[in-house]
Amino acid sequence: KVFLSAKVHKFRKIKIKFAGGEPLLNYGIILETIRYGNELAKQYHIPIKYVILTNGTLITESMAKDFAEKKVHVAVSLDGIDKVHDSTRKYLGARGSFADVERGIHILLEKKVEFNVSVVVSFANIRSLLPLVEYLCNNNIPYFFNLIRDNECSDKSLTLDNAAIISEYRKIYNFLERNAQGIPVFERLCDNNLNIKPRNHSCGSCSSYCIITPDGKISTCQMSIDKVGDIRTDDPVDIVRKSRRARYHNLIRRKSCTSCNWRYICGGG
């Protein structure tokens, strides 16, 4: 259904992201999906790419070899060094996961897998970002920052304030200016939702992007899991574009954005 929808709506490429929970717990399904997706890509003449969003603790050398051979991009969650990461990324039983994540990252580096570290910036780690950036730069690890977003399920104690963001980001900018020439600072630090190209929406939700849950339900966004349709019966692109959320997603319809000079840069994100 994804390829049929892409063809109907004249998409030139498809990207599938495996997320969770932890997608590597069901690694066999990932491999089978990639095999079948590549088969359909040839049939429909639409290129396809794959991304795995993982906490990094389960990465093995065998998996990394697969990622490299199949050209799978891997995004590993890492929110700080040692105890900073361990404070928010714990195993059942409260043991921290940093050591296992670091091991997984070094396996990806060794096997030359295309990957990046994904840093969720929150109140829990905002004061520890500079040591993390130094660590990532010193180890030639690519990274992107994502500012935490509030929703009905989020932990409000992790909410950021603008003053803290500005203060800590200035320290990082100063470090990068002195030590990391050539790194694309804007796109790495200013959140994946920021873009220098004008646009009227913050992301592909409700236009070119959707979530498909394990039971086949279609949602407009991983932040809401609103279940607007079913992949077995609905056109996924059509159903998200007609959803109630789509009416609000376009910043032209948002009164709060009309007077902002930056609205076509952030897209209302």
Side-chain angles (χ1 to χ4, degrees):
K1 293 301 291 283
V2 170
F3 274 89
L4 286 172
S5 182
K7 185 175 182 179
V8 167
H9 297 281
K10 302 186 185 314
F11 280 73
R12 291 179 292 180
K13 58 185 178 182
I14 292 172
K15 180 186 289 185
I16 292 180
K17 293 183 178 181
F18 300 97
E22 176 48 51
L24 294 184
L25 286 169
N26 214 341
Y27 189 56
I29 292 294
I30 292 178
L31 292 179
E32 176 58 22
T33 303
I34 291 173
R35 183 202 63 78
Y36 186 46
N38 289 342
E39 182 181 304
L40 291 174
K42 293 179 180 179
Q43 179 181 336
Y44 285 89
H45 304 290
I46 301 176
I48 187 169
K49 290 186 176 181
Y50 305 95
V51 178
I52 295 177
L53 312 180
T54 174
N55 62 33
T57 60
L58 299 177
I59 294 172
T60 65
E61 291 191 4
S62 176
M63 287 180 180
K65 183 179 178 181
D66 288 339
F67 301 153
E69 290 178 351
K70 301 178 189 304
K71 294 179 171 49
V72 176
H73 185 95
V74 180
V76 180
S77 297
L78 182 67
D79 296 341
I81 302 171
D82 295 318
K83 293 181 180 179
V84 177
H85 180 84
D86 289 345
S87 68
T88 56
R89 307 273 184 172
K90 300 182 178 72
Y91 289 110
L92 185 65
R95 180 171 69 87
S97 60
F98 175 78
D100 292 331
V101 178
E102 185 177 44
R103 175 193 52 78
I105 288 172
H106 283 293
I107 290 174
L108 296 177
L109 285 169
E110 180 185 341
K111 299 299 181 183
K112 296 181 171 50
V113 175
E114 181 184 310
F115 83 102
N116 69 271
V117 157
S118 179
V119 181
V120 177
V121 180
S122 71
F123 184 80
N125 67 352
I126 185 67
R127 303 296 181 187
S128 304
L129 291 180
L130 180 56
L132 175 59
V133 171
E134 292 174 347
Y135 167 85
L136 295 171
C137 289
N138 290 338
N139 288 279
N140 296 313
I141 298 171
Y143 61 91
F144 292 97
F145 280 19
N146 302 278
L147 299 178
I148 193 168
R149 282 164 170 73
D150 288 333
N151 61 65
E152 59 186 20
C153 300
S154 63
D155 183 346
K156 302 308 177 185
S157 69
L158 299 176
T159 301
L160 289 162
D161 65 85
N162 290 338
I165 297 172
I166 293 169
S167 173
E168 297 306 310
Y169 269 45
R170 279 177 174 164
K171 296 175 185 177
I172 296 170
Y173 289 142
N174 289 336
F175 167 78
L176 293 177
E177 185 177 27
R178 296 191 308 268
N179 301 284
Q181 298 294 329
I183 288 180
V185 174
F186 184 84
E187 64 181 43
R188 287 196 177 184
L189 296 185
C190 291
D191 195 284
N192 286 339
N193 277 348
L194 292 181
N195 197 305
I196 60 173
K197 296 179 181 178
R199 56 186 177 168
N200 60 16
H201 54 275
S202 58
C203 65
S205 176
C206 302
S207 59
S208 61
Y209 169 89
C210 72
I211 300 294
I212 302 173
T213 61
D215 60 356
K217 302 302 181 183
I218 300 171
S219 298
T220 60
C221 175
Q222 78 275 10
M223 299 285 286
S224 62
I225 308 297
D226 42 0
K227 295 186 178 180
V228 296
D230 192 302
I231 192 64
R232 288 159 291 208
T233 57
D234 298 310
D235 176 335
V237 173
D238 186 61
I239 202 75
V240 298
R241 287 179 175 177
K242 292 179 179 178
S243 67
R244 291 181 61 186
R245 190 170 183 272
R247 293 196 290 273
Y248 177 74
H249 192 60
N250 191 319
L251 69 83
I252 295 174
R253 300 188 180 100
R254 295 189 193 180
K255 292 182 180 179
S256 59
C257 294
T258 54
S259 62
C260 178
N261 292 332
W262 294 93
R263 61 188 180 276
Y264 294 115
I265 298 299
C266 85

PDB file of all heavy atoms in Angstrom, residues 251-261 263:
ATOM      1  N   LEU A 251       0.997  26.355   8.754  1.00  0.00           N
ATOM      2  CA  LEU A 251       1.129  27.553   9.585  1.00  0.00           C
ATOM      3  C   LEU A 251       0.303  28.728   9.068  1.00  0.00           C
ATOM      4  O   LEU A 251       0.012  29.671   9.821  1.00  0.00           O
ATOM      5  CB  LEU A 251       2.597  27.955   9.724  1.00  0.00           C
ATOM      6  CG  LEU A 251       3.364  28.494   8.506  1.00  0.00           C
ATOM      7  CD1 LEU A 251       3.118  29.977   8.300  1.00  0.00           C
ATOM      8  CD2 LEU A 251       4.838  28.269   8.685  1.00  0.00           C
ATOM      9  N   ILE A 252      -0.104  28.701   7.798  1.00  0.00           N
ATOM     10  CA  ILE A 252      -0.922  29.779   7.257  1.00  0.00           C
ATOM     11  C   ILE A 252      -2.242  29.876   8.015  1.00  0.00           C
ATOM     12  O   ILE A 252      -2.849  30.941   8.125  1.00  0.00           O
ATOM     13  CB  ILE A 252      -1.165  29.547   5.748  1.00  0.00           C
ATOM     14  CG1 ILE A 252       0.164  29.650   4.991  1.00  0.00           C
ATOM     15  CG2 ILE A 252      -2.161  30.553   5.188  1.00  0.00           C
ATOM     16  CD1 ILE A 252       0.063  29.292   3.524  1.00  0.00           C
ATOM     17  N   ARG A 253      -2.680  28.749   8.584  1.00  0.00           N
ATOM     18  CA  ARG A 253      -3.940  28.720   9.328  1.00  0.00           C
ATOM     19  C   ARG A 253      -3.737  28.998  10.825  1.00  0.00           C
ATOM     20  O   ARG A 253      -4.699  28.972  11.583  1.00  0.00           O
ATOM     21  CB  ARG A 253      -4.618  27.363   9.149  1.00  0.00           C
ATOM     22  CG  ARG A 253      -4.943  27.018   7.695  1.00  0.00           C
ATOM     23  CD  ARG A 253      -5.784  25.756   7.624  1.00  0.00           C
ATOM     24  NE  ARG A 253      -6.109  25.411   6.244  1.00  0.00           N
ATOM     25  CZ  ARG A 253      -5.464  24.488   5.548  1.00  0.00           C
ATOM     26  NH1 ARG A 253      -4.481  23.812   6.104  1.00  0.00           N
ATOM     27  NH2 ARG A 253      -5.800  24.208   4.312  1.00  0.00           N
ATOM     28  N   ARG A 254      -2.507  29.241  11.239  1.00  0.00           N
ATOM     29  CA  ARG A 254      -2.235  29.460  12.664  1.00  0.00           C
ATOM     30  C   ARG A 254      -2.128  30.958  12.963  1.00  0.00           C
ATOM     31  O   ARG A 254      -1.194  31.628  12.509  1.00  0.00           O
ATOM     32  CB  ARG A 254      -0.924  28.776  13.067  1.00  0.00           C
ATOM     33  CG  ARG A 254      -0.957  27.277  12.972  1.00  0.00           C
ATOM     34  CD  ARG A 254       0.296  26.727  13.608  1.00  0.00           C
ATOM     35  NE  ARG A 254       0.481  25.319  13.300  1.00  0.00           N
ATOM     36  CZ  ARG A 254       1.507  24.600  13.739  1.00  0.00           C
ATOM     37  NH1 ARG A 254       2.433  25.170  14.477  1.00  0.00           N
ATOM     38  NH2 ARG A 254       1.611  23.325  13.423  1.00  0.00           N
ATOM     39  N   LYS A 255      -3.029  31.467  13.741  1.00  0.00           N
ATOM     40  CA  LYS A 255      -3.003  32.888  14.092  1.00  0.00           C
ATOM     41  C   LYS A 255      -1.746  33.242  14.875  1.00  0.00           C
ATOM     42  O   LYS A 255      -1.236  34.359  14.763  1.00  0.00           O
ATOM     43  CB  LYS A 255      -4.250  33.231  14.895  1.00  0.00           C
ATOM     44  CG  LYS A 255      -5.544  33.155  14.091  1.00  0.00           C
ATOM     45  CD  LYS A 255      -6.739  33.556  14.945  1.00  0.00           C
ATOM     46  CE  LYS A 255      -8.024  33.486  14.128  1.00  0.00           C
ATOM     47  NZ  LYS A 255      -9.208  33.856  14.950  1.00  0.00           N
ATOM     48  N   SER A 256      -1.241  32.293  15.685  1.00  0.00           N
ATOM     49  CA  SER A 256      -0.072  32.571  16.514  1.00  0.00           C
ATOM     50  C   SER A 256       1.193  32.777  15.693  1.00  0.00           C
ATOM     51  O   SER A 256       2.189  33.293  16.204  1.00  0.00           O
ATOM     52  CB  SER A 256       0.148  31.425  17.514  1.00  0.00           C
ATOM     53  OG  SER A 256       0.343  30.198  16.831  1.00  0.00           O
ATOM     54  N   CYS A 257       1.170  32.384  14.410  1.00  0.00           N
ATOM     55  CA  CYS A 257       2.368  32.487  13.572  1.00  0.00           C
ATOM     56  C   CYS A 257       2.342  33.686  12.619  1.00  0.00           C
ATOM     57  O   CYS A 257       3.373  34.022  12.028  1.00  0.00           O
ATOM     58  CB  CYS A 257       2.537  31.206  12.736  1.00  0.00           C
ATOM     59  SG  CYS A 257       2.892  29.723  13.698  1.00  0.00           S
ATOM     60  N   THR A 258       1.213  34.319  12.475  1.00  0.00           N
ATOM     61  CA  THR A 258       1.070  35.310  11.402  1.00  0.00           C
ATOM     62  C   THR A 258       1.988  36.512  11.542  1.00  0.00           C
ATOM     63  O   THR A 258       2.388  37.120  10.544  1.00  0.00           O
ATOM     64  CB  THR A 258      -0.394  35.810  11.330  1.00  0.00           C
ATOM     65  OG1 THR A 258      -0.785  36.289  12.630  1.00  0.00           O
ATOM     66  CG2 THR A 258      -1.323  34.690  10.893  1.00  0.00           C
ATOM     67  N   SER A 259       2.343  36.893  12.779  1.00  0.00           N
ATOM     68  CA  SER A 259       3.182  38.080  12.982  1.00  0.00           C
ATOM     69  C   SER A 259       4.654  37.757  13.179  1.00  0.00           C
ATOM     70  O   SER A 259       5.462  38.658  13.435  1.00  0.00           O
ATOM     71  CB  SER A 259       2.667  38.868  14.200  1.00  0.00           C
ATOM     72  OG  SER A 259       2.770  38.080  15.370  1.00  0.00           O
ATOM     73  N   CYS A 260       5.035  36.480  13.041  1.00  0.00           N
ATOM     74  CA  CYS A 260       6.420  36.076  13.295  1.00  0.00           C
ATOM     75  C   CYS A 260       7.261  36.155  12.022  1.00  0.00           C
ATOM     76  O   CYS A 260       6.897  35.590  10.983  1.00  0.00           O
ATOM     77  CB  CYS A 260       6.463  34.652  13.851  1.00  0.00           C
ATOM     78  SG  CYS A 260       8.143  34.045  14.132  1.00  0.00           S
ATOM     79  N   ASN A 261       8.383  36.843  12.102  1.00  0.00           N
ATOM     80  CA  ASN A 261       9.260  36.995  10.931  1.00  0.00           C
ATOM     81  C   ASN A 261       9.938  35.685  10.531  1.00  0.00           C
ATOM     82  O   ASN A 261      10.432  35.556   9.410  1.00  0.00           O
ATOM     83  CB  ASN A 261      10.340  38.042  11.215  1.00  0.00           C
ATOM     84  CG  ASN A 261       9.773  39.434  11.328  1.00  0.00           C
ATOM     85  OD1 ASN A 261       8.735  39.740  10.724  1.00  0.00           O
ATOM     86  ND2 ASN A 261      10.416  40.292  12.097  1.00  0.00           N
ATOM     87  N   ARG A 263       8.483  32.622  10.589  1.00  0.00           N
ATOM     88  CA  ARG A 263       7.497  31.534  10.427  1.00  0.00           C
ATOM     89  C   ARG A 263       7.785  30.626   9.240  1.00  0.00           C
ATOM     90  O   ARG A 263       7.519  29.424   9.309  1.00  0.00           O
ATOM     91  CB  ARG A 263       6.093  32.116  10.314  1.00  0.00           C
ATOM     92  CG  ARG A 263       5.839  33.052   9.131  1.00  0.00           C
ATOM     93  CD  ARG A 263       4.449  33.706   9.251  1.00  0.00           C
ATOM     94  NE  ARG A 263       4.156  34.613   8.162  1.00  0.00           N
ATOM     95  CZ  ARG A 263       4.538  35.868   8.111  1.00  0.00           C
ATOM     96  NH1 ARG A 263       5.276  36.354   9.101  1.00  0.00           N
ATOM     97  NH2 ARG A 263       4.223  36.657   7.106  1.00  0.00           N
TER      98      ARG A 263
END
